[in-house]
Amino acid sequence: ELLAGDAAVGRARRPALAPSRGAGGAVEEIARRLRGKIDGIWARYEEIASDRKKLRLRPDDGAPRPAASPLVPSSALPHPERLHGRQRDIERVAALVRGEPDGGRTYAVVPIVGMAGVGKTALMQHVCGVEAVKSCFELTHWIWVSQEFDVVNVTRKIVEAVTRSRPECGELSTLHELIVEHLAGKRCLIVLDDVWDDNPSHWNSLTAPSRCAPGSTAAVTTRSNKVARMVSTKVYHLKCLSDEDCWRVCQRRALTYSDANVDQELVAIGEKIAKKCQGLPLAAEAAGSALGASTSWKHWDEVLNNDLWADNEVKNLVLPVLKVSYDHLFMPLKRSFAFCSLFPKGLTTNFF
């Protein structure tokens, strides 16, 4: 109706373009062309308004849908492979999630913060599998939050995890009541993986039902220090791996046979490649995938001496994760990235 009304009003108010008296032939030609273009635009506009009315479209129909995330959703089930270099981290985080609540709350909050690809999700997956943790909580629920944070949608995910069925209602109050109904009096571990939203009111609304389950714990993984400090004053910072552990991660993906049968020339090259990963398990996994294409010395030497990040296997694994971090940068920092991309790789400057 609004569109049709706008068309009618615009048609009534449409100005007639006429050249001033005494104007030359060139001006008349320009005016004629402009009049023809405007008439064409209004004709198309009226046609769209007519189609809208026939199809009974509403104002909010055709709203753009959010783009699908390039990231793969996570779950509580860990990969069967051993988590290299993280045993101490697993023990410490397992102790934290079993700890007493602080800050006047009836439930504990354990934020785990670290850069992209450092292994926060994998760490928490293994923590959930620790026997001491499983025996401490009656229920464990895993919710992948990621970028598109909406209190109602995330609460719906929690309800679905708790009830094992998708809720039909969309009222936040009703969703909270469902959570309270199923969790009241139970000690639960709820993992919120990959949280980006740093709005305190959103967080308070999301965790409101947790008061009904004294002794429970909410574990939060995030790349944002601001998010970590918002949810708790006690933050666990996950550090990068050593070069040795990076090589073990890389070797596990690249080679299928035992350590005793590894060619020492390949080991020497692999260790150099592992150093390029800068302690990030995700980068080490990607490098191992690139190396796994062949076990020849020539192929491994090419991976070492060429640009590791130009390999398609590496780009497909690493770039989607890094892009999420880039998307959350402030605009001035994005511009700085664009500016720096104009210079050759490895160039040292005194601009900053």
Side-chain angles (χ1 to χ4, degrees):
E1 293 174 1
L2 291 175
L3 190 59
D6 287 346
V9 172
R11 186 168 56 249
R13 295 181 179 177
R14 184 172 58 204
L17 294 179
S20 59
R21 294 181 179 179
V27 175
E28 291 180 357
E29 178 63 20
I30 293 174
R32 186 185 64 78
R33 290 180 181 178
L34 286 176
R35 189 183 303 111
K37 289 184 178 180
I38 292 174
D39 288 341
I41 292 172
W42 278 111
R44 178 59 179 152
Y45 189 57
E46 291 170 352
E47 180 183 353
I48 294 173
S50 176
D51 290 342
R52 186 213 66 82
K53 188 174 181 180
K54 292 176 182 178
L55 295 173
R56 298 181 180 180
L57 298 177
R58 297 171 297 180
D60 57 345
D61 288 337
R65 299 179 181 178
S69 172
L71 304 178
V72 178
S74 63
S75 77
L77 297 178
H79 292 290
E81 296 92 352
R82 178 188 172 191
L83 205 60
H84 292 286
R86 292 300 188 202
Q87 190 56 42
R88 182 174 295 180
D89 292 304
I90 292 174
E91 294 172 356
R92 289 175 176 175
V93 174
L96 288 174
V97 299
R98 290 182 287 119
E100 295 297 322
D102 62 346
R105 292 183 290 240
T106 59
Y107 59 94
V109 179
V110 179
I112 303 167
V113 66
M115 68 174 67
V118 78
K120 303 177 293 297
T121 298
L123 172 69
M124 200 59 225
Q125 287 171 333
H126 281 75
V127 168
C128 290
V130 173
E131 285 300 328
V133 173
K134 291 195 292 185
S135 63
C136 184
F137 299 100
E138 298 176 58
L139 299 169
T140 298
H141 299 297
W142 185 286
I143 292 88
W144 183 64
V145 180
S146 197
Q147 302 176 74
E148 298 298 330
F149 187 94
D150 177 88
V151 173
V152 174
N153 287 339
V154 177
T155 306
R156 286 172 64 90
K157 286 185 177 183
I158 297 175
V159 171
E160 185 174 352
V162 169
T163 64
R164 294 293 191 269
S165 62
R166 183 167 297 180
E168 296 180 358
C169 61
E171 283 294 331
L172 184 62
S173 177
T174 306
L175 295 171
H176 280 174
E177 290 173 2
L178 287 171
I179 295 174
V180 172
E181 180 183 337
H182 285 82
L183 298 187
K186 298 178 181 178
R187 196 174 186 187
C188 312
L189 172 61
I190 296 180
V191 181
L192 300 173
D193 186 36
D194 197 19
V195 177
W196 284 94
D197 190 277
D198 56 13
N199 188 319
S201 64
H202 291 173
W203 173 254
N204 292 335
S205 178
L206 186 67
T207 57
S210 301
R211 302 165 192 156
C212 74
S216 296
T217 297
V220 177
T221 69
T222 180
R223 304 182 202 179
S224 168
N225 282 294
K226 188 175 181 179
V227 170
R229 291 191 299 267
M230 176 190 71
V231 302
S232 178
T233 56
K234 296 181 179 180
V235 179
Y236 191 84
H237 294 270
L238 188 60
K239 307 295 184 182
C240 293
L241 294 177
S242 65
D243 289 340
E244 292 77 12
D245 285 321
C246 256
W247 162 235
R248 292 189 183 98
V249 174
C250 185
Q251 180 182 7
R252 181 187 65 200
R253 180 60 69 92
L255 303 172
T256 56
Y257 42 85
S258 64
D259 295 348
N261 298 324
V262 177
D263 188 324
Q264 291 306 304
E265 288 187 357
L266 293 183
V267 171
I269 298 174
E271 289 175 344
K272 294 178 181 178
I273 294 173
K275 288 183 179 180
K276 288 186 173 185
C277 297
Q278 299 293 309
L280 295 178
L282 180 65
E285 295 242 357
S289 296
L291 294 174
S294 173
T295 55
S296 68
W297 180 91
K298 180 180 179 181
H299 172 69
W300 283 43
D301 189 61
E302 287 177 352
V303 174
L304 172 63
N305 294 310
N306 294 336
D307 185 3
L308 176 63
W309 310 113
D311 182 86
N312 287 331
E313 188 80 22
V314 176
K315 286 193 292 187
N316 291 338
L317 285 172
V318 177
L319 288 187
V321 178
L322 296 182
K323 187 179 183 301
V324 174
S325 293
Y326 172 81
D327 289 341
H328 283 80
L329 290 176
F330 292 112
M331 187 55 66
L333 289 177
K334 289 184 178 180
R335 291 172 182 158
S336 297
F337 266 87
F339 176 75
C340 291
S341 69
L342 300 174
F343 298 93
K345 181 178 177 180
L347 178 68
T348 302
T349 70
N350 296 318
F351 293 157
F352 304 103

